[in-house]
Amino acid sequence: MNAVVLLGAPGAGKGTQAPLLAERLGVPIVATGGLFRAAVRDGTPLGMDARRYMDAGQLVPDDITVRLLLDRLGRADAAHGVILDGFPRTRVQAQALDEALAERGARVAAAVLVDVPAEELIDRMSGRWICRAAGHPYHERFSRPHVPGICDLDGSELYQRPDDRPDTIRARMAQQLSALEDVIEHYRQSGVLKTVDGLQGIREVADAINAALVGTGIEPAGTTERAAG
Ligand SMILES: [Zn+2]
């Protein structure tokens, strides 16, 4: 069981690529948010531990997260590998994951970074506007209303939430990118980092991810044939 870690800043398109890659590789996507919810719902001992932190509005400690993750990786559908989405988020988590996988004779086969320049991410995220009446979403670049500033569906005024303003997004992004950089550096040093240009279209990015996985030991059967033929 080996893992592919998908890395990317918010807005880089990682969430779009994860299911495409999962389908191609025939392995499940494991996202820590989903793991927490499932463990809490099932009332497992780890789930109860996690819940105490979540109820108190605190981050679930790394050791609990890693143990939950290992439980999940031990299931039958993960026998041929998993895609990790949203974990690790810090260098400490990345190290804990490496150690836990090594104890099981597994490893991170590849860490794929969907790379989009920070300025482009800020542009993508700060173009969001919503309508006052019902919160219908618009985007300055990707889904403009027919009449500027007015909702197509109900005619109400469009406005930008404080969270969607460029300065707020810039500050939040700087924090997130600094943690992401640490994780990227961790995988660069261990020699498994693959960087894919995230400015391309969805299909081109998916193809680039597939190509990056060739030779990592986690590519689907037949990849090399198809690439050659
Ligand atoms: Zn509306």
Side-chain angles (χ1 to χ4, degrees), residues 131 134 136 151 153-154 156:
C131 84
H136 295 126
C151 180
L153 300 172
D154 51 43
S156 73

Side-chain angles (χ1 to χ4, degrees), residues 51 66 73 77 88 96 102 139 159 194 219:
R51 182 175 197 155
V66 170
L73 301 190
D77 68 334
H139 193 284
Y159 74 105
K194 309 283 177 186
E219 72 267 31

Side-chain angles (χ1 to χ4, degrees), residues 39-215:
V40 167
R41 186 191 61 220
D42 298 345
T44 65
L46 275 174
M48 313 276 264
D49 279 352
R51 182 175 197 155
R52 267 201 291 279
Y53 292 94
M54 291 157 77
D55 284 350
Q58 294 168 345
L59 287 177
V60 178
D62 290 345
D63 66 313
I64 295 180
T65 307
V66 170
R67 276 155 63 208
L68 273 171
L69 204 59
L70 284 182
D71 272 6
R72 177 66 188 84
L73 301 190
R75 287 203 219 143
D77 68 334
H80 299 297
V82 290
I83 295 165
L84 293 181
D85 182 11
F87 188 91
R89 284 188 197 278
T90 65
R91 185 189 287 265
V92 172
Q93 288 181 347
Q95 286 162 344
L97 177 66
D98 284 351
E99 286 166 21
L101 288 175
E103 282 170 19
R104 303 195 165 196
R107 67 194 175 93
V108 171
V112 179
L113 169 65
V114 180
D115 193 29
V116 174
E119 280 310 308
E120 168 68 15
L121 292 170
I122 290 164
D123 257 23
R124 287 183 186 181
M125 299 189 75
S126 61
R128 288 180 188 161
W129 292 73
I130 59 172
C131 84
R132 294 224 182 261
H136 295 126
Y138 294 86
H139 193 284
E140 283 169 16
R141 275 168 60 192
F142 308 122
S143 63
R144 294 192 189 124
H146 291 120
V147 180
I150 303 291
C151 180
D152 291 345
L153 300 172
D154 51 43
S156 73
E157 180 199 14
L158 301 184
Y159 74 105
Q160 207 165 27
R161 285 178 300 204
D163 265 8
D164 291 338
R165 288 189 191 132
D167 48 345
T168 315
I169 287 184
R170 200 173 291 275
R172 197 168 57 214
M173 188 69 78
Q175 254 180 1
Q176 288 163 335
L177 288 184
S178 132
L180 177 62
E181 273 305 322
D182 285 350
V183 176
I184 291 170
E185 195 47 41
H186 172 85
Y187 289 120
R188 183 178 287 132
Q189 282 168 10
S190 49
V192 297
L193 182 70
K194 309 283 177 186
T195 302
V196 163
D197 178 5
L199 285 177
Q200 311 170 86
I202 290 172
R203 203 154 84 204
E204 287 75 19
V205 173
D207 286 347
I209 292 175
N210 293 336
L213 291 179
V214 172

